[in-house]
Amino acid sequence: MIDEIVGWRAGLDDLLARFAHRFGRAEPRRQALSYLVGLLSPLASKNGWTLAEAAGDTMPDRMQRLLNKSAWNPDAVRDDLFAYVSEHLGDDDGVLIVDETGFLKKGIKSAGVQRQYSGTAGRTENCQLGVFLAYASPAGRTLIDRELYLPRGWCDNLARREEAGIAAGVGFATKPALGLRMLERPITAGLPARWVTADEAYGQDSKFRTWLQQRFGYVLAVPRNQRVPTTVGNSRPDVLAANTPALAWKRRSCGAGAKGPRLYDWAVASLPGTA
């Protein structure tokens, strides 16, 4: 067990060494390592206070300073991450996964917070929404990028934007548009991938699908009431599924879940090429 911990920490030190040049001083470099260790730890709650305590600090000031005031560029570190992931997990059949998650909040000061639907909570809550990009291959999986969803009401409120530290150049973008923005970055950086997958929030967006058709294979969920083209006219996915012969369906596992194997029924049908 001790050998495993030592090996894990050595691997983390090697990872941080790749990003060390992004920090001009030793103190934020050390604090970044403590931050990563805290995020990977089994803490029940992970915030400025708990991460600081896990690092041996009596106050969260150092951890907050790393995130709010230290001179380093998170986007530059993200670009370094692309190269690291490509080296360790890269595969020509890699899969890029777009999804969003909500972060429940009690106040109104956090950037982008408002009452909106959170898939994490399964209901409308006061929360922030982030759109995330993950990479998966036979060698493993990891998160590689993120974008904060900024609602239109926030974009139009200059005083609120300034108070939350939102740069003037940040404008409104839909969640599918944020997803496309993230998909372009690792591909430009040379991360190998052949497939993209996302849920119906992205599958129902014609611009999202059209962009993918020119670049990737993809599997996207769509709402059951979305009109899709067939050889005999447009139809709904639920109608097509109901009329598919029983022998065409195959049950496949998507791996183990919290409540056991995640089993889904799949059938394949050819549709006319269209966005």
Side-chain angles (χ1 to χ4, degrees), residues 2 5 39-40 46 71-72 81-82 88-89 92 96-97 105 121 128 147-148 157 167 179 191 247 263-265 275:
I2 293 177
I5 294 174
L39 290 179
L40 293 170
K46 296 175 183 178
W72 64 284
L81 176 64
F82 292 156
H88 291 273
L89 304 181
D92 288 341
L96 293 164
I97 305 143
K105 296 290 182 178
Q128 294 172 297
E147 286 280 357
L148 175 68
N157 190 327
L191 182 64
L247 292 177
L263 299 174
Y264 294 89
D265 293 326

Short mmCIF file of all heavy atoms in Angstrom, two decimals, residues 2 5 39-40 46 71-72 81-82 88-89 92 96-97 105 121 128 147-148 157 167 179 191 247 263-265 275:
data_model
loop_
_atom_site.label_atom_id
_atom_site.label_comp_id
_atom_site.label_asym_id
_atom_site.label_seq_id
_atom_site.Cartn_x
_atom_site.Cartn_y
_atom_site.Cartn_z
N ILE A 2 1.92 1.26 0.82
CA ILE A 2 2.82 2.42 0.88
C ILE A 2 3.50 2.63 -0.46
O ILE A 2 3.63 3.76 -0.93
CB ILE A 2 3.86 2.23 2.00
CG1 ILE A 2 3.17 2.25 3.37
CG2 ILE A 2 4.93 3.32 1.92
CD1 ILE A 2 4.10 2.00 4.53
N ILE A 5 1.12 4.37 -2.81
CA ILE A 5 0.98 5.79 -2.52
C ILE A 5 2.19 6.56 -3.00
O ILE A 5 2.06 7.63 -3.61
CB ILE A 5 0.78 6.00 -1.00
CG1 ILE A 5 -0.57 5.39 -0.57
CG2 ILE A 5 0.83 7.48 -0.65
CD1 ILE A 5 -0.80 5.42 0.93
N LEU A 39 -8.08 17.50 -4.60
CA LEU A 39 -9.15 17.12 -5.51
C LEU A 39 -9.22 15.60 -5.70
O LEU A 39 -10.30 15.04 -5.91
CB LEU A 39 -8.95 17.80 -6.86
CG LEU A 39 -9.16 19.31 -6.91
CD1 LEU A 39 -8.90 19.83 -8.32
CD2 LEU A 39 -10.58 19.68 -6.48
N LEU A 40 -8.06 14.94 -5.63
CA LEU A 40 -8.01 13.50 -5.82
C LEU A 40 -8.27 12.72 -4.54
O LEU A 40 -8.40 11.50 -4.56
CB LEU A 40 -6.64 13.10 -6.38
CG LEU A 40 -6.35 13.58 -7.80
CD1 LEU A 40 -4.88 13.34 -8.15
CD2 LEU A 40 -7.25 12.90 -8.82
N LYS A 46 -15.52 19.24 -1.10
CA LYS A 46 -14.29 19.86 -1.59
C LYS A 46 -14.54 21.33 -1.90
O LYS A 46 -15.18 21.67 -2.90
CB LYS A 46 -13.79 19.12 -2.83
CG LYS A 46 -13.39 17.68 -2.51
CD LYS A 46 -13.02 16.87 -3.73
CE LYS A 46 -12.70 15.43 -3.32
NZ LYS A 46 -12.37 14.57 -4.48
N ALA A 71 -0.68 34.61 -10.68
CA ALA A 71 -0.47 34.87 -12.11
C ALA A 71 -0.16 33.58 -12.86
O ALA A 71 1.00 33.18 -12.98
CB ALA A 71 0.66 35.88 -12.30
N TRP A 72 -1.22 32.89 -13.29
CA TRP A 72 -1.06 31.72 -14.15
C TRP A 72 -2.30 31.63 -15.03
O TRP A 72 -3.35 32.15 -14.72
CB TRP A 72 -0.84 30.45 -13.34
CG TRP A 72 -1.99 30.05 -12.46
CD1 TRP A 72 -2.34 30.61 -11.28
CD2 TRP A 72 -2.92 28.99 -12.70
NE1 TRP A 72 -3.45 29.99 -10.75
CE2 TRP A 72 -3.82 28.98 -11.61
CE3 TRP A 72 -3.08 28.05 -13.71
CZ2 TRP A 72 -4.86 28.07 -11.51
CZ3 TRP A 72 -4.12 27.13 -13.62
CH2 TRP A 72 -4.99 27.15 -12.53
N LEU A 81 -2.24 20.00 -20.98
CA LEU A 81 -2.93 18.76 -20.64
C LEU A 81 -3.25 17.94 -21.89
O LEU A 81 -3.16 16.71 -21.88
CB LEU A 81 -4.21 19.06 -19.86
CG LEU A 81 -5.09 17.87 -19.50
CD1 LEU A 81 -4.35 16.92 -18.55
CD2 LEU A 81 -6.40 18.34 -18.87
N PHE A 82 -3.63 18.61 -22.98
CA PHE A 82 -3.91 17.89 -24.22
C PHE A 82 -2.73 17.01 -24.63
O PHE A 82 -2.90 15.85 -25.01
CB PHE A 82 -4.22 18.87 -25.35
CG PHE A 82 -5.51 19.63 -25.20
CD1 PHE A 82 -5.69 20.86 -25.83
CD2 PHE A 82 -6.56 19.12 -24.46
CE1 PHE A 82 -6.87 21.56 -25.71
CE2 PHE A 82 -7.76 19.82 -24.32
CZ PHE A 82 -7.91 21.04 -24.94
N HIS A 88 -0.41 9.63 -23.05
CA HIS A 88 -0.72 8.51 -22.17
C HIS A 88 -2.00 7.76 -22.54
O HIS A 88 -2.11 6.55 -22.29
CB HIS A 88 -0.83 9.00 -20.72
CG HIS A 88 0.49 9.42 -20.15
ND1 HIS A 88 1.35 8.55 -19.53
CD2 HIS A 88 1.10 10.64 -20.12
CE1 HIS A 88 2.44 9.19 -19.13
NE2 HIS A 88 2.31 10.46 -19.47
N LEU A 89 -2.97 8.44 -23.13
CA LEU A 89 -4.26 7.82 -23.43
C LEU A 89 -4.61 7.87 -24.91
O LEU A 89 -5.61 7.26 -25.32
CB LEU A 89 -5.39 8.51 -22.64
CG LEU A 89 -5.25 8.57 -21.11
CD1 LEU A 89 -6.48 9.25 -20.52
CD2 LEU A 89 -5.07 7.19 -20.52
N ASP A 92 -6.26 6.33 -31.94
CA ASP A 92 -6.93 6.80 -33.15
C ASP A 92 -8.45 6.63 -33.07
O ASP A 92 -9.19 7.34 -33.75
CB ASP A 92 -6.40 6.05 -34.38
CG ASP A 92 -4.99 6.47 -34.74
OD1 ASP A 92 -4.56 7.56 -34.29
OD2 ASP A 92 -4.31 5.72 -35.46
N LEU A 96 -14.54 11.58 -27.82
CA LEU A 96 -14.73 12.85 -27.12
C LEU A 96 -16.17 12.91 -26.62
O LEU A 96 -17.11 12.68 -27.40
CB LEU A 96 -14.43 14.03 -28.05
CG LEU A 96 -12.96 14.15 -28.47
CD1 LEU A 96 -12.83 15.07 -29.69
CD2 LEU A 96 -12.10 14.67 -27.32
N ILE A 97 -16.35 13.21 -25.35
CA ILE A 97 -17.66 13.16 -24.71
C ILE A 97 -18.02 14.54 -24.19
O ILE A 97 -17.30 15.11 -23.36
CB ILE A 97 -17.66 12.16 -23.54
CG1 ILE A 97 -17.20 10.79 -24.05
CG2 ILE A 97 -19.03 12.06 -22.89
CD1 ILE A 97 -16.35 10.03 -23.06
N LYS A 105 -25.87 26.27 -5.70
CA LYS A 105 -25.39 27.45 -4.98
C LYS A 105 -26.53 28.04 -4.15
O LYS A 105 -27.70 27.94 -4.51
CB LYS A 105 -24.88 28.50 -5.99
CG LYS A 105 -23.68 28.07 -6.81
CD LYS A 105 -22.42 27.97 -5.97
CE LYS A 105 -21.22 27.58 -6.81
NZ LYS A 105 -19.98 27.52 -6.02
N ALA A 121 -29.08 17.62 -10.16
CA ALA A 121 -30.12 17.59 -9.14
C ALA A 121 -31.41 16.97 -9.65
O ALA A 121 -32.25 16.52 -8.86
CB ALA A 121 -30.39 19.01 -8.65
N GLN A 128 -24.94 27.00 -10.85
CA GLN A 128 -24.13 27.27 -12.03
C GLN A 128 -24.17 26.05 -12.92
O GLN A 128 -24.36 24.92 -12.45
CB GLN A 128 -22.67 27.54 -11.64
CG GLN A 128 -22.43 28.79 -10.84
CD GLN A 128 -20.98 28.84 -10.34
OE1 GLN A 128 -20.57 27.98 -9.57
NE2 GLN A 128 -20.22 29.82 -10.78
N GLU A 147 -16.17 24.75 -19.94
CA GLU A 147 -16.66 26.10 -20.24
C GLU A 147 -17.81 26.39 -19.29
O GLU A 147 -18.69 25.54 -19.07
CB GLU A 147 -17.16 26.21 -21.68
CG GLU A 147 -16.09 26.24 -22.75
CD GLU A 147 -15.45 27.62 -22.90
OE1 GLU A 147 -15.89 28.56 -22.21
OE2 GLU A 147 -14.52 27.73 -23.72
N LEU A 148 -17.81 27.58 -18.71
CA LEU A 148 -18.92 28.00 -17.86
C LEU A 148 -20.05 28.52 -18.74
O LEU A 148 -19.82 29.35 -19.63
CB LEU A 148 -18.47 29.10 -16.90
CG LEU A 148 -19.58 29.72 -16.03
CD1 LEU A 148 -20.11 28.70 -15.02
CD2 LEU A 148 -19.06 30.96 -15.31
N ASN A 157 -25.96 42.15 -18.05
CA ASN A 157 -25.88 42.90 -16.80
C ASN A 157 -24.42 43.26 -16.53
O ASN A 157 -23.66 42.51 -15.93
CB ASN A 157 -26.46 42.07 -15.66
CG ASN A 157 -26.65 42.87 -14.38
OD1 ASN A 157 -25.88 43.79 -14.09
ND2 ASN A 157 -27.67 42.53 -13.62
N ALA A 167 -14.77 38.65 -17.83
CA ALA A 167 -14.10 39.50 -18.80
C ALA A 167 -15.09 40.10 -19.79
O ALA A 167 -16.10 39.48 -20.14
CB ALA A 167 -13.04 38.69 -19.56
N GLY A 179 -19.92 23.49 -26.50
CA GLY A 179 -19.42 22.16 -26.79
C GLY A 179 -18.57 22.14 -28.05
O GLY A 179 -17.49 21.53 -28.08
N LEU A 191 -4.80 15.92 -30.55
CA LEU A 191 -5.29 14.78 -29.78
C LEU A 191 -6.09 13.87 -30.72
O LEU A 191 -7.07 14.30 -31.32
CB LEU A 191 -6.17 15.26 -28.63
CG LEU A 191 -6.72 14.18 -27.69
CD1 LEU A 191 -5.58 13.48 -26.95
CD2 LEU A 191 -7.69 14.79 -26.68
N LEU A 247 -36.44 -8.69 -33.61
CA LEU A 247 -35.17 -9.36 -33.87
C LEU A 247 -34.03 -8.37 -34.18
O LEU A 247 -32.86 -8.75 -34.14
CB LEU A 247 -35.32 -10.35 -35.03
CG LEU A 247 -36.20 -11.57 -34.75
CD1 LEU A 247 -36.33 -12.43 -36.01
CD2 LEU A 247 -35.63 -12.40 -33.60
N LEU A 263 -27.82 -1.66 -18.73
CA LEU A 263 -28.19 -2.37 -19.95
C LEU A 263 -29.11 -1.51 -20.81
O LEU A 263 -30.07 -0.90 -20.30
CB LEU A 263 -28.88 -3.69 -19.60
CG LEU A 263 -28.05 -4.68 -18.79
CD1 LEU A 263 -28.90 -5.88 -18.39
CD2 LEU A 263 -26.82 -5.12 -19.57
N TYR A 264 -28.82 -1.46 -22.10
CA TYR A 264 -29.64 -0.71 -23.05
C TYR A 264 -29.89 -1.57 -24.29
O TYR A 264 -29.06 -2.40 -24.67
CB TYR A 264 -28.94 0.59 -23.47
CG TYR A 264 -28.78 1.58 -22.35
CD1 TYR A 264 -27.65 1.56 -21.52
CD2 TYR A 264 -29.77 2.53 -22.09
CE1 TYR A 264 -27.50 2.46 -20.49
CE2 TYR A 264 -29.62 3.44 -21.05
CZ TYR A 264 -28.49 3.40 -20.26
OH TYR A 264 -28.34 4.30 -19.23
N ASP A 265 -31.06 -1.37 -24.88
CA ASP A 265 -31.40 -2.06 -26.12
C ASP A 265 -31.06 -1.16 -27.31
O ASP A 265 -31.43 0.02 -27.32
CB ASP A 265 -32.89 -2.42 -26.15
CG ASP A 265 -33.23 -3.47 -25.10
OD1 ASP A 265 -32.36 -4.34 -24.83
OD2 ASP A 265 -34.34 -3.42 -24.54
N ALA A 275 -28.63 16.90 -42.14
CA ALA A 275 -28.34 17.45 -40.82
C ALA A 275 -29.54 17.35 -39.92
O ALA A 275 -29.43 17.61 -38.76
CB ALA A 275 -27.90 18.91 -40.96
#
